[in-house]
Amino acid sequence: MKLIITFLSALLSFVVWGQQSDFVRLKDLSADFVYELKYATPDNFLKQAVYDCGECYLRKSTAEALVKANEAFKQLGYRIKLFDCYRPLSVQKKMWKILPGTHYVANPAKGSKHNRGAAVDLTLVDAQGKELNMGTPFDFFGKEAHHTYTEHPKEVLENRKLLKETLNKYNFKSIYSEWWHYEYRPEMQSKVENFEWQCN
């Protein structure tokens, strides 16, 4: 009986994780990132937590590229701070139910790049952990958050340029409306996933 239970446990683990074997927890690759995973708290545009707990999982290749980008930023005295990483499809459905039919929440029928483990929401912090001035907070949904908005002070424009140009070197693509959102090009067409990590 004990052998059967062990086998069933291993089988269940494979079913849950087998298709996610190319995902990694970013903390397991590097201890040099800063985290403020907004959707595990009410401090976000939805005004409620949609994760049971915050963790940053990504496709392995996405995570490895992000580590390389962070190393480049570290040479300049900065580090990447993460607001969101991989997002299970079930969470995307929660978000859509709260705020459907907008540009800022992808329809779960198609899924988002976050659901594919290919997207990150991020900013930069200095050696003291202070966020660089990017002109707007994370999840600010107005023209001032757009990459094409040029009426910010020079410091803001330079900070955004540094973020964008450095991430581009490591194959991360921006979107026009959110200065914080980047997608790893090689994984943009990957399969939508719905696995959820365990909370300690």
Side-chain angles (χ1 to χ4, degrees):
M1 179 61 73
K2 185 177 180 181
L3 183 61
I4 293 173
I5 292 172
T6 302
F7 172 76
L8 290 175
S9 176
L11 182 61
L12 178 62
S13 178
F14 176 80
V15 169
V16 173
W17 291 99
Q19 298 302 312
Q20 284 76 43
S21 60
D22 60 336
F23 275 74
V24 295
R25 190 175 69 159
L26 190 58
K27 286 179 182 177
D28 294 333
L29 292 187
S30 171
D32 293 328
F33 291 92
V34 178
Y35 300 89
E36 189 177 349
L37 298 166
K38 290 288 193 178
Y39 300 125
T41 77
D43 184 21
N44 59 64
F45 74 105
L46 300 168
K47 306 302 181 187
Q48 59 183 283
V50 290
Y51 293 131
D52 292 333
C53 60
E55 281 288 4
C56 181
Y57 280 85
L58 291 167
R59 296 270 179 193
K60 186 178 180 183
S61 61
T62 306
E64 289 173 341
L66 198 64
V67 169
K68 291 177 182 177
N70 201 36
E71 289 298 320
F73 286 124
K74 283 169 56 184
Q75 296 298 315
L76 302 173
Y78 306 119
R79 289 192 293 164
I80 290 174
K81 179 177 183 176
L82 281 305
F83 297 125
D84 197 25
C85 303
Y86 159 72
R87 183 186 306 154
L89 184 61
S90 60
V91 172
Q92 194 71 31
K93 290 177 180 178
K94 284 184 192 177
M95 295 172 75
W96 184 257
K97 187 175 182 180
I98 297 166
L99 197 65
T102 70
H103 171 73
Y104 297 106
V105 177
N107 189 331
K110 293 184 177 179
S112 79
K113 301 300 187 295
H114 283 288
N115 305 146
R116 293 169 166 82
V120 284
D121 294 334
L122 49 72
T123 191
L124 294 175
V125 297
D126 62 20
Q128 286 72 47
K130 182 181 178 181
E131 292 181 18
L132 272 61
N133 186 357
M134 295 294 179
T136 77
F138 166 67
D139 268 1
F140 177 88
F141 299 129
K143 64 182 180 180
E144 294 84 358
H146 296 185
H147 283 281
T148 53
Y149 187 83
T150 58
E151 296 180 30
H152 289 297
K154 182 179 178 181
E155 174 196 6
V156 171
L157 298 178
E158 289 179 348
N159 288 343
R160 288 190 182 186
K161 182 181 179 183
L162 172 65
L163 185 66
K164 185 175 182 179
E165 289 185 351
T166 303
L167 287 170
N168 280 346
K169 291 178 183 176
Y170 296 91
N171 225 355
F172 285 91
K173 172 185 175 292
S174 62
I175 62 173
Y176 85 94
S177 59
E178 301 174 6
W179 62 257
W180 56 83
H181 180 97
Y182 283 86
E183 300 170 353
Y184 186 55
R185 289 180 178 90
E187 295 289 2
M188 286 171 59
Q189 302 305 317
S190 294
K191 179 177 173 288
V192 168
E193 301 285 0
N194 194 38
F195 81 92
E196 298 183 26
W197 52 86
Q198 292 185 344
C199 296
N200 294 326

